[in-house]
Amino acid sequence: MRVLAAMSGGVDSAVAAARAVEAGHDVVGVHLALSAKPGTLRTGARGCCTIEDSRDARRAADLLGIPFYVWDFAERFTEEVIETFVGEYAAGRTPNPCLTCNEKIKFEALLDKAVALGFDAVCTGHYARLSVVDGVPELRRSRDEGKDQSYVLASLTAEQLRHSMFPLGDSLKSEVRAEAAERDLAVAEKPDSHDICFIPDGDTKKFLETKLGQQPGKLVDAETGAVLGEHTGVHGFTIGQRKGLGIDAPAADGRPRYVLSLEPVSGTVKVGAAERLSVTEIDAKRPIWPSEQPLLGPTECVIQVRAHGGTAEAVAEAEGEGIQVHLRQPLRGVAPGQAIVLYRPDTEGDVVLGSGIITTTR
């Protein structure tokens, strides 16, 4: 096949590209320039979109003997990912920008351009397993459970998955690094990128305040209605947050308080005891079904609401243009705006049944 290898400059995408070459595909490497400030240098182990990363990607492509290009998607990344991220927090929701980036940039903008140029597939270094049986894609968890990225890929449509390749799905991270060293790839020991690539210092609250300014409001006890303090904006909080609330007086029972709800219109942040975070019902919108078929009636599954952790057994059902989920075990810290991914348990790696964006919890 003609394969476009998305090369971030890290070890995973470099090895994925190498495996595509070794498999006999006609491979071209491409690095996505996503930063509006392309001169930015890498800071520590954060990020994946700096000028140093593009140079690392080019060196890997040169070693593999494949053509290499840099495509400028910075404007679209700003509109689709950064502005969406800021807008969601302003509305009191908690988005996952990596999931949005995969959906809107790597597997919409990039894949659309690749197909238009005659490529059959886009190859990435994501840790997930993918197969297509009778034209129906099956996206599964990777062999390396600690690195599994099926959650942030679950927003991809069936058609996008048909044009995707994830060569690392059956590998452990340690095996990928060892292979990179054997291939003399300079990125073999390069640290993984962490946190949010467009917030290199990791201070999300400060970043949002520079975008949204200060919007003062009240911290309120959810049970008594008592005002416990003030804050500079609901965008500085997430459901389930415990630290950094800015409350001086301890709770009457001496136990810690947690953020229970956010009301951006009134600027109210309600806090309370941990047990009030427990959720047993979840509604989601924008369902995506990799098999192109919604659930047929109530379906036993395992759901996940965060990229790492936040899983529970559940019964899910397609409800019109949404998904309704009843959890068999309560979960805490479930926030509107997060993605919910439905899995069918499988010995070869749980299969993604579908996904949606959480709207309400009970």
Side-chain angles (χ1 to χ4, degrees):
M1 296 192 299
R2 291 198 69 209
V3 173
L4 187 70
M7 304 181 72
S8 67
V11 62
D12 296 328
S13 60
V15 171
R19 290 183 178 181
V21 171
E22 193 169 67
H25 300 300
D26 178 10
V27 181
V28 173
V30 63
H31 178 79
L32 303 186
L34 303 179
S35 174
K37 298 178 180 177
T40 302
L41 294 179
R42 188 176 183 83
T43 302
R46 302 181 187 276
C48 59
C49 312
T50 67
I51 193 167
E52 290 169 297
D53 292 311
S54 68
R55 291 169 181 166
D56 287 341
R58 182 179 294 277
R59 281 191 286 267
D62 288 345
L63 185 65
L64 296 176
I66 61 175
F68 178 83
Y69 300 91
V70 175
W71 288 357
D72 185 357
F73 281 5
E75 184 176 346
R76 183 155 181 177
F77 181 80
T78 298
E79 293 174 356
E80 299 276 17
V81 180
I82 299 178
E83 291 180 4
T84 296
F85 177 83
V86 173
E88 286 291 281
Y89 265 99
R93 296 186 287 268
T94 305
N96 184 314
C98 294
L99 191 144
T100 307
C101 182
N102 283 330
E103 178 185 0
K104 297 295 185 181
I105 305 299
K106 295 175 183 174
F107 295 94
E108 186 171 300
L110 175 62
L111 182 56
D112 286 351
K113 186 171 182 178
V115 171
L117 291 173
F119 288 93
D120 300 299
V122 165
C123 167
T124 74
H126 287 100
Y127 284 79
R129 303 187 216 195
L130 177 63
S131 58
V132 179
V133 181
D134 296 328
V136 178
E138 281 197 345
L139 178 65
R140 298 172 179 266
R141 291 193 188 277
S142 66
R143 176 182 163 215
D144 191 331
E145 294 182 2
K147 296 297 294 182
D148 175 59
Q149 292 173 295
S150 59
Y151 175 86
V152 295
L153 295 170
S155 62
L156 304 187
T157 66
E159 188 61 21
Q160 289 169 330
L161 290 173
R162 290 188 185 98
H163 293 280
S164 302
M165 291 175 60
F166 308 129
L168 308 187
D170 285 310
S171 300
L172 301 177
K173 179 74 178 200
S174 58
E175 295 171 345
V176 170
R177 287 200 180 278
E179 182 177 332
E182 290 173 4
R183 294 180 182 275
D184 292 324
L185 289 165
V187 292
E189 297 302 323
K190 184 176 179 177
D192 291 340
S193 58
H194 293 287
D195 300 308
I196 302 169
C197 68
F198 54 86
I199 308 179
D201 64 359
D203 192 337
T204 302
K205 184 175 181 179
K206 183 177 73 175
F207 171 82
L208 290 169
E209 193 159 295
T210 63
K211 296 290 185 179
L212 298 170
Q214 293 193 356
Q215 300 174 16
K218 306 292 185 182
L219 287 155
V220 176
D221 186 296
E223 190 167 338
T224 66
V227 176
L228 304 174
E230 296 184 349
H231 62 79
T232 57
V234 296
H235 49 266
F237 302 89
T238 59
I239 302 298
Q241 180 178 333
R242 173 186 174 185
K243 297 181 180 179
L245 301 186
I247 300 174
D248 296 328
D253 58 9
R255 295 189 297 171
R257 296 184 177 96
Y258 297 80
V259 174
L260 302 181
S261 67
L262 305 172
E263 299 174 5
V265 175
S266 64
T268 302
V269 176
K270 291 186 177 180
V271 300
E275 55 265 25
R276 297 192 64 169
L277 284 169
S278 294
V279 164
T280 56
E281 302 279 347
I282 298 173
D283 294 332
K285 64 178 181 179
R286 287 184 54 217
I288 295 174
W289 313 104
S291 67
E292 299 179 312
Q293 293 293 327
L295 302 179
L296 299 176
T299 302
E300 295 281 348
C301 60
V302 173
I303 63 101
Q304 184 169 334
V305 295
R306 288 185 290 277
H308 301 286
T311 62
E313 294 180 0
V315 176
E317 189 168 7
E319 285 279 331
E321 293 300 312
I323 308 171
Q324 193 171 68
V325 181
H326 172 75
L327 307 184
R328 296 210 179 277
Q329 305 97 25
L331 275 182
R332 291 181 177 179
V334 183
Q338 291 174 326
I340 181 170
V341 179
L342 284 51
Y343 291 89
R344 184 184 76 234
D346 191 284
T347 55
E348 296 299 319
D350 296 354
V351 178
V352 173
L353 296 174
S355 69
I357 303 300
I358 296 171
T359 54
T360 54
T361 64
R362 293 177 293 282

